[in-house]
Amino acid sequence: MVELLDNQRTFHIQVKHTSLVLHVLPTGHVTVIYWGKRLESKSLAYVIQDIGRASYISDTDGIKDFKLEQLPQAMPTHGNSDLRTPALVLEYADGSRITNLRYKDFKVYSGKERLPGMPTITSGEEVETVEILLEDYLQQVTVKLIFSAFYEYNAITQSVVVTNLSKSNVTIEKVVSSNIDFLDAAYDVCYLSGAWGRETHRQVRPLSQGAFLLDSKRGASGHGQNPFLALADKQANENSGSIYSMNMVYSGNFQAIAEVDMHQNTRMQMGINPFDFAWQLVPQESFYTPETVLIYSDQGYNQLSAIYHRFYRECLMKSSHAEKVRPVLINNWEATYFDFDKRKLLSLAKEAADCGIELFVLDDGWFGKRSDTTTSLGDWQPNHQKLGGSLSGLIEEIGQLGLQFGLWVEPEMVSPDSELYRAHPDWIIQVAGRDPQLARHQYVLDLANPAVQNYLITELSTLLEKENIAYIKWDMNRNITDSGSSYLAVAQQKELSHRYILGLYHVLEILTEQFPEVLFESCAGGGGRYDPGMLYYMPQTWTSDDTDAIERLPIQSGTSLIYPPISMGCHVSAVPNHQVGRITSMDTRGIVAMQGNLGYELDLTQLSTEEKLLVKEQVVQYKEIREIVQLGQLIRLTEIENQNQYAWLYRSKDATAFVVSFVQVLARANTVPKRLKLAGLDAKAYYQVGERICTGSELMSIGLKLDKPIEDYAGQRWLVKKIEK
C-alpha cells in the first residue's frame, strides 16, 4: 500500500497494478519520480539524481547545478525558481506572494478521512493513506498532500489541505488538487468535450510545447468540457497502451492543464478554476480541495474504463441504489411538454404499464402556475387545477396501474414571477446596483446563503415526506452569471462559485440521507454537470437532452470512458427526432438506449399497434439483460476514430453472459460487411450465439457475421452465453 524507502524519504504508494512514487530531496522539495505500472523496488531516489541539467535558472538554493525548473514536483509554488505553471498561489497580508514550501513530516494510516462538506470516495475494502506535510516557515502556512491507495480497485485519490497558522489572513488565489510532473512529453492528450446536445465526445490530440487547458467558468462542470484529462501513449487504443488520467470529484468551475516545457517535460494538474476565485483563509483555518481520482492503465482505454466503472459503483456512489438494477421508465416531457392534464397523463401511464414499463416520471409543469418557462420556479406546490386534483391522488391512480412515480424539479433556480422571488428578491445571485440578467426566464438562487439552503431542504423534504415518490430528476438549466452575493462579505465575493457548490452539496447530503429509498437522477440541461461530485449523491445522470439515437452514439461512448453504464440515463424517443429531425428505426433506437438505463420519452398513445408491440418486446428483452448492462463490464469493440460504426459488449459479473451491440451510421454501396470480433471471452470455453456454438477463440479471432445494411442507422444485437460441452 504505502512503502517507505530511502530512510523514509521515498513514499512508494502501491495499488494492485500501479505505483506512484514521491521522493523528498535534501532541500525539502517533494518530487514525483514515477507513476505507472507497479514496481518492485527498494530504492528509487536515483531517478532524481540521474536527471541531467539543462541551462537557464540553475545553481539555486546555494547548490551547484540545482535547477528546480527541471525537477518533477508534487506541489510547485509561485515565486520561486520554477517558472512553469504553479499549483499553489497565495497572497499574504504584506502583499507578498512568494510561497516556499519544504517538507516537514508525514503520517501513514489505514482508512481514509472524510473531506468536510464535500463528496469523498470511501470503501470498506483495504485503503491506506499517506499525508505529506509541507511548510513555509516564514509565512507560517502548511500544505498537506493526502494520497489514498485503494489496493483492490487499482485507484489512487488525492486532495490538498492549506492551513494558515499565522496571525494574519492569507488569500488563496490558486490551489490544485493534483499536480504530477512527467519527465517526458511524447503523449497524446485525451479529453471529453462538446456542447448542449452533444456532450462528452472523446477527443485525442498530440501534445506540443506550451499549455493545453481544459476548464469551466460556468458555475458547473459544464457541457463544454468534463473534469477529466488523460495523457496517453501515441499508440494507445482501446486495448493497449499506457494512459495516465485525472478525474475531479467536483461539480463546479474546474481547470485542468497539460503543460510541456522547453525541456520536453509535462506538467499535469487539475483543481478548482482560479478564474474569479479567491479564498480568505483566516488564522487557524484550513481550506480543503476537492479530491481527484488518479487512474493508470497499461492496457488501453477499455481497462481504464473498467477501473473507473467498478471504483465509482462500489466506492463513490453512496446511494443504496448504486448496485441495484434500475427501473425502465417513461418520462412525459417529449410526449406532452407543458401541455398535459390528468387524463393525458393517465392515458400515457396506462400505455406504459401495458408495455411493462415500471416507473412514470412527471416532468416540468406540475407546480405553481407553470405552463411555460416564464413562471413559478421556486414554488414547489402542486398545481391542483392542472393535475385534476391533488398530486397524491394522481400518484395513487398511477400506482394502481402498477407503476412507481417520479417527479422533475429544478430547485436551484427561481422565476421572477414566483411567490419565492417576490418574498426574497435578495436570495438570487446578483451584483448590487445592476439589473440581474434573465436567462431562460430564471435567476440562480444563491446557495452560498444558508437561508436558501434551508428553504430548499424544507420544501423538498416536505414534498418527499408527503408524497409517495420513488424517483427525483434534479435539473439545472441555467449557468451562473452576475456573479455576486448579497449574503457574502465584500472580501468573500470571489468565494461565491465554490461556496455555491458547497451549499448544493449540503442540500444534497441532507436530502439523500433523509430519503435513501428515493432514486435521484441529476441533470443540467442533460449532461452539463455529469461529474463524480454529483454521482456521489445521485447515482444516475440524464446523459443528454439530445435523444436522437445516432447523436447519442458518440455521447454515450465518450461518457462510458469514465462513468459506469448504470449511471447513464438513455431514452427511446419519437421520430422524427425532436432535436435533429432524424428518422431512425425503433430497433436501433432501442439498441442505443439499452447501452445504459432504458427509458422512453415519447407519446405511447400515438404509436401504432405494431410499434407498441415493439416497445413491449424491447422492455422484455431489456429486463433479461439489464443486470448484465448495468452491473457488468463494458468493453468497446471499435476504435473511436471509426465514426461510422460503433460496437460494444457487456460481460456479466460471472463472465457467463455477454450482450453485444453494433450500429452502422451510414450504409455504403457495393461493400461486403466485415466480421465483428469480440473481446473478454475465455478462449477455450464454448459459447452459444443463436443456433451456433463457437469457442471463445473463434468469436475473438473470427467474430460474428454482420448483416449487410440496406438502410442508414442499422443496428444488430446478440446475446452470447457460455455453455458446457
Side-chain angles (χ1 to χ4, degrees):
M1 299 294 283
V2 179
E3 186 178 9
L4 303 177
L5 307 173
D6 302 317
N7 296 317
Q8 298 190 339
R9 304 291 283 185
T10 300
F11 304 91
H12 187 179
I13 303 167
Q14 305 168 62
V15 290
K16 198 167 188 177
H17 301 297
T18 301
S19 290
L20 176 64
V21 185
L22 298 101
H23 177 69
V24 182
L25 300 181
T27 59
H29 295 98
V30 177
T31 58
V32 182
I33 62 177
Y34 179 80
W35 181 25
K37 193 169 184 177
R38 181 164 170 177
L39 302 173
E40 302 297 335
S41 178
K42 294 302 178 185
S43 179
L44 293 163
Y46 65 85
V47 175
I48 298 297
Q49 297 164 5
D50 289 350
I51 296 175
R53 302 291 184 259
S55 65
Y56 216 57
I57 300 179
S58 60
D59 301 337
T60 58
D61 263 56
I63 302 171
K64 180 175 174 55
D65 289 332
F66 185 76
K67 185 179 173 74
L68 193 60
E69 196 169 36
Q70 281 185 260
L71 299 179
Q73 295 183 72
M75 183 50 67
T77 59
H78 172 74
N80 53 51
S81 59
D82 182 348
L83 300 181
R84 295 171 291 178
T85 301
L88 179 70
V89 182
L90 304 177
E91 183 179 38
Y92 301 100
D94 61 2
S96 67
R97 299 167 70 239
I98 295 175
T99 302
N100 190 358
L101 294 176
R102 305 296 171 110
Y103 171 77
K104 183 178 182 182
D105 203 357
F106 78 93
K107 180 170 69 171
V108 177
Y109 55 90
S110 296
K112 186 170 184 281
E113 296 180 1
R114 175 80 191 269
L115 295 177
M118 284 185 288
T120 308
I121 298 179
T122 56
S123 170
E125 299 291 335
E126 185 180 0
V127 183
E128 193 163 81
T129 298
V130 57
E131 297 181 354
I132 301 173
L133 187 65
L134 313 178
E135 180 185 42
D136 184 314
Y137 176 77
L138 178 65
Q139 296 291 0
Q140 294 182 280
V141 168
T142 65
V143 174
K144 189 187 299 180
L145 311 180
I146 305 174
F147 295 89
S148 294
F150 293 76
Y151 186 84
E152 287 297 327
Y153 293 96
N154 205 33
I156 298 169
T157 63
Q158 184 187 357
S159 60
V160 172
V161 184
V162 182
T163 302
N164 177 13
L165 298 176
S166 73
K167 296 181 180 179
S168 303
N169 287 356
V170 174
T171 301
I172 302 174
E173 295 183 352
K174 175 182 179 179
V175 57
V176 305
S177 298
S178 289
N179 183 99
I180 294 183
D181 290 350
F182 297 81
L183 298 173
D184 197 356
Y187 301 111
D188 286 335
V189 61
C190 175
Y191 57 101
L192 301 175
S193 68
W196 174 86
R198 48 181 174 84
E199 299 91 334
T200 56
H201 286 222
R202 194 197 313 185
Q203 310 289 344
V204 179
R205 57 188 280 188
L207 277 179
S208 58
Q209 186 171 331
F212 173 84
L213 181 146
L214 298 172
D215 78 342
S216 175
K217 309 177 188 73
R218 309 180 72 88
S221 47
H223 295 89
Q225 295 167 333
N226 200 270
F228 165 81
L229 180 65
L231 302 182
D233 288 348
K234 295 288 187 181
Q235 292 76 35
N237 57 36
E238 293 290 4
N239 300 310
S240 65
S242 289
I243 303 167
Y244 311 81
S245 73
M246 294 180 178
N247 194 202
M248 191 171 177
V249 187
Y250 191 60
S251 308
N253 294 339
F254 77 93
Q255 185 182 82
I257 293 175
E259 180 185 38
V260 177
D261 68 15
M262 55 189 174
H263 302 300
Q264 295 79 53
N265 302 309
T266 304
R267 172 162 290 171
M268 183 184 190
Q269 62 180 220
M270 182 172 284
I272 293 173
N273 199 330
F275 171 81
D276 198 35
F277 168 83
W279 193 273
Q280 300 298 311
L281 201 58
V282 302
Q284 308 307 309
E285 184 182 52
S286 295
F287 180 87
Y288 292 77
T289 72
E291 66 183 344
T292 50
V293 179
L294 309 177
I295 302 292
Y296 166 77
S297 166
D298 66 343
Q299 296 178 36
Y301 292 104
N302 271 324
Q303 185 190 67
L304 186 80
S305 298
I307 296 170
Y308 271 116
H309 292 179
R310 183 186 172 214
F311 188 49
Y312 283 174
R313 278 201 327 264
E314 298 181 17
C315 302
L316 171 70
M317 298 180 189
K318 71 165 190 166
S319 169
S320 60
H321 296 273
E323 296 251 44
K324 291 180 182 177
V325 294
R326 305 295 166 72
V328 180
L329 67 83
I330 177 76
N331 185 300
N332 76 298
W333 179 242
E334 288 191 21
T336 67
Y337 294 100
F338 289 107
D339 183 20
F340 62 80
D341 56 21
K342 185 175 184 178
R343 180 196 59 79
K344 188 176 289 188
L345 294 177
L346 288 175
S347 296
L348 184 61
K350 184 179 184 305
E351 293 288 353
D354 289 344
C355 290
I357 291 170
E358 300 156 311
L359 170 66
F360 182 92
V361 180
L362 177 57
D363 211 281
D364 198 354
W366 60 269
F367 54 92
K369 301 179 296 181
R370 184 86 162 172
S371 292
D372 56 34
T373 59
T374 64
T375 182
S376 298
L377 288 176
D379 299 341
W380 300 110
Q381 293 80 40
N383 183 333
H384 291 168
Q385 181 178 357
K386 189 172 184 179
L387 296 178
S390 68
L391 180 60
S392 301
L394 176 65
I395 294 173
E396 183 178 354
E397 290 192 52
I398 287 177
Q400 289 170 356
L401 295 171
L403 295 169
Q404 293 182 298
F405 186 83
L407 205 58
W408 176 96
V409 293
E410 191 173 3
E412 299 164 67
M413 306 298 158
V414 64
S415 304
D417 181 13
S418 67
E419 296 303 319
L420 176 62
Y421 182 73
R422 284 186 277 272
H424 298 285
D426 57 320
W427 277 9
I428 67 169
I429 290 178
Q430 60 185 319
V431 174
R434 293 191 179 274
D435 292 333
Q437 300 175 71
L438 273 175
R440 299 186 82 255
H441 308 288
Q442 59 198 57
Y443 299 126
V444 183
L445 289 171
D446 182 3
L447 265 67
N449 185 339
V452 176
Q453 298 169 29
N454 292 335
Y455 172 81
L456 294 181
I457 291 168
T458 299
E459 287 292 296
L460 294 171
S461 295
T462 300
L463 179 67
L464 291 172
E465 285 169 355
K466 181 180 179 182
E467 310 292 356
N468 185 17
I469 295 172
Y471 164 103
I472 287 288
K473 180 180 178 181
W474 184 297
D475 210 344
M476 180 206 188
N477 281 312
R478 184 202 195 283
N479 289 135
I480 294 175
T481 60
D482 306 277
S483 185
S485 171
S486 304
Y487 170 76
L488 296 176
V490 171
Q492 293 179 302
Q493 290 299 308
K494 285 191 173 184
E495 299 177 11
L496 174 59
S497 58
H498 184 54
R499 287 190 182 275
Y500 179 96
I501 296 299
L502 294 178
L504 173 63
Y505 288 157
H506 173 68
V507 172
L508 295 179
E509 183 76 30
I510 298 297
L511 291 175
T512 54
E513 287 287 339
Q514 190 174 350
F515 302 98
E517 73 285 356
V518 175
L519 171 59
F520 285 86
E521 179 180 83
S522 68
C523 175
R529 197 158 60 182
Y530 204 142
D531 57 66
M534 293 305 288
L535 279 186
Y536 177 80
Y537 299 103
M538 302 187 181
Q540 189 164 309
T541 300
W542 179 226
T543 313
S544 177
D545 280 348
D546 190 337
T547 58
D548 175 68
I550 303 307
E551 288 286 305
R552 275 294 190 111
L553 287 168
I555 292 171
Q556 292 173 191
S557 177
T559 301
S560 76
L561 184 64
I562 319 166
Y563 304 112
I566 197 170
S567 71
M568 293 197 303
C570 309
H571 293 180
V572 174
S573 61
V575 293
N577 175 261
H578 291 194
Q579 288 79 46
V580 299
R582 184 179 282 115
I583 296 176
T584 309
S585 72
M586 181 69 77
D587 186 49
T588 297
R589 281 177 277 160
I591 289 172
V592 176
M594 291 185 201
Q595 195 172 7
N597 299 323
L598 177 65
Y600 289 84
E601 191 141 347
L602 73 172
D603 191 348
L604 294 171
T605 67
Q606 298 300 308
L607 298 185
S608 67
T609 301
E610 182 182 0
E611 288 172 322
K612 290 176 186 176
L613 285 173
L614 286 174
V615 171
K616 194 170 186 176
E617 290 172 8
Q618 284 180 352
V619 172
V620 169
Q621 292 168 4
Y622 185 71
K623 288 178 180 178
E624 291 176 351
I625 66 172
R626 68 175 157 188
E627 185 169 345
I628 304 172
V629 169
Q630 295 177 11
L631 299 175
Q633 180 185 344
L634 168 66
I635 301 174
R636 290 175 297 273
L637 298 176
T638 56
E639 302 302 327
I640 195 67
E641 292 79 14
N642 187 350
Q643 296 293 320
N644 197 50
Q645 293 181 337
Y646 291 81
W648 58 95
L649 171 155
Y650 290 102
R651 179 172 63 185
S652 65
K653 282 189 172 183
D654 61 5
T656 61
F658 302 77
V659 179
V660 183
S661 301
F662 171 84
V663 176
Q664 178 153 316
V665 178
L666 298 178
R668 293 198 176 112
N670 196 27
T671 60
V672 177
K674 306 302 180 185
R675 301 185 72 89
L676 180 63
K677 297 177 182 179
L678 307 189
L681 283 69
D682 181 346
K684 295 181 179 180
Y686 288 90
Y687 298 87
Q688 184 158 2
V689 189
E691 299 299 319
R692 180 171 291 176
I693 295 175
C694 304
T695 63
S697 60
E698 290 174 74
L699 292 171
M700 292 189 290
S701 299
I702 298 175
L704 298 172
K705 177 182 179 294
L706 292 172
D707 294 338
K708 182 175 176 61
I710 58 173
E711 60 182 3
D712 292 340
Y713 324 130
Q716 290 180 254
R717 182 174 58 240
W718 301 262
L719 182 59
V720 180
K721 291 188 175 181
K722 188 177 182 180
I723 62 172
E724 297 294 332
K725 187 176 179 181

